[in-house]
């Protein structure tokens, strides 16, 4: 779960989401190809790619001197499963604090109603 959480943190940056969007249109792209679609410098792209790769959101494949990047589908599917689990989890029972807050609200409402009469 911690790995999935850190991946969500990495995706919190709009530039990294934009990079993923670019990668989703092609199979494997070089940094140069990705850079053509962004208004950032090459060192900035390298920083973002390093974060995406270390989080296993993107994988890199070296071919000679070229490095090709692609979305790591397995990692994205793990994130999707994590979100699906949240939607299918049964609602937890009210905590004691929540019960007390509701009771206090009802009492205040009742007191206010009695003052009006």
């Amino acid at each position: 779960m911690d790995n999935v959480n850190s991946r969500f943190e990495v995706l919190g940056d709009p530039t990294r989401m934009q990079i993923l969007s670019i990668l989703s249109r092609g199979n494997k792209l070089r940094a140069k190809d990705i850079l053509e679609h962004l208004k950032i410098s090459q060192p900035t792209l390298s920083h973002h790619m390093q974060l995406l790769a270390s989080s296993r959101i993107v994988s890199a494949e070296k071919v000679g001197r070229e490095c090709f990047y692609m979305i790591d589908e397995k990692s994205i599917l793990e994130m999707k499963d994590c979100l699906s689990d949240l939607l299918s989890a049964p609602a937890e029972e009210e905590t004691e604090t929540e019960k007390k807050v509701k009771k206090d609200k009802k009492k205040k409402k009742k007191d206010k109603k009695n003052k009006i009469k």
Side-chain angles (χ1 to χ4, degrees):
M1 182 73 159
D2 288 335
N3 289 335
V4 174
N5 289 340
S6 66
R7 285 183 229 152
F8 281 115
E9 287 179 30
V10 169
L11 290 179
D13 182 88
T15 302
R16 290 192 279 273
M17 285 300 294
Q18 198 174 5
I19 292 168
L20 279 186
S21 177
I22 293 163
L23 287 172
S24 71
R25 295 182 226 139
N27 264 348
K28 299 177 183 179
L29 294 174
R30 300 173 299 167
K32 180 181 177 180
D33 301 325
I34 297 168
L35 205 51
E36 290 175 359
H37 301 278
L38 302 169
K39 294 179 181 178
I40 60 174
S41 67
Q42 189 279 323
T44 302
L45 176 64
S46 292
H47 169 73
H48 287 299
M49 295 311 293
Q50 188 272 328
L51 289 171
L52 289 166
S54 67
S55 298
R56 292 186 15 234
I57 296 168
V58 167
S59 57
E61 181 182 315
K62 272 214 167 212
V63 179
R65 294 179 65 192
E66 300 277 14
C67 188
F68 291 87
Y69 295 97
M70 66 221 82
I71 292 177
D72 186 324
E73 289 185 31
K74 181 182 176 195
S75 181
I76 300 298
L77 289 173
E78 285 176 2
M79 295 171 72
K80 179 185 172 203
D81 290 344
C82 180
L83 291 174
S84 293
D85 289 347
L86 291 175
L87 293 175
S88 62
E92 291 185 25
E93 194 175 311
E94 282 184 328
T95 64
E96 289 301 315
T97 306
E98 290 170 330
K99 288 178 184 177
K100 188 176 186 227
V101 167
K102 281 185 178 181
K103 189 176 179 181
D104 289 346
K105 283 183 180 180
K106 284 181 183 178
K107 186 177 184 229
K108 284 181 184 180
K109 196 174 184 178
K110 186 178 178 181
D111 290 346
K112 191 175 183 180
K113 195 175 183 180
N114 287 338
K115 281 184 181 181
I116 294 172
K117 288 182 180 182

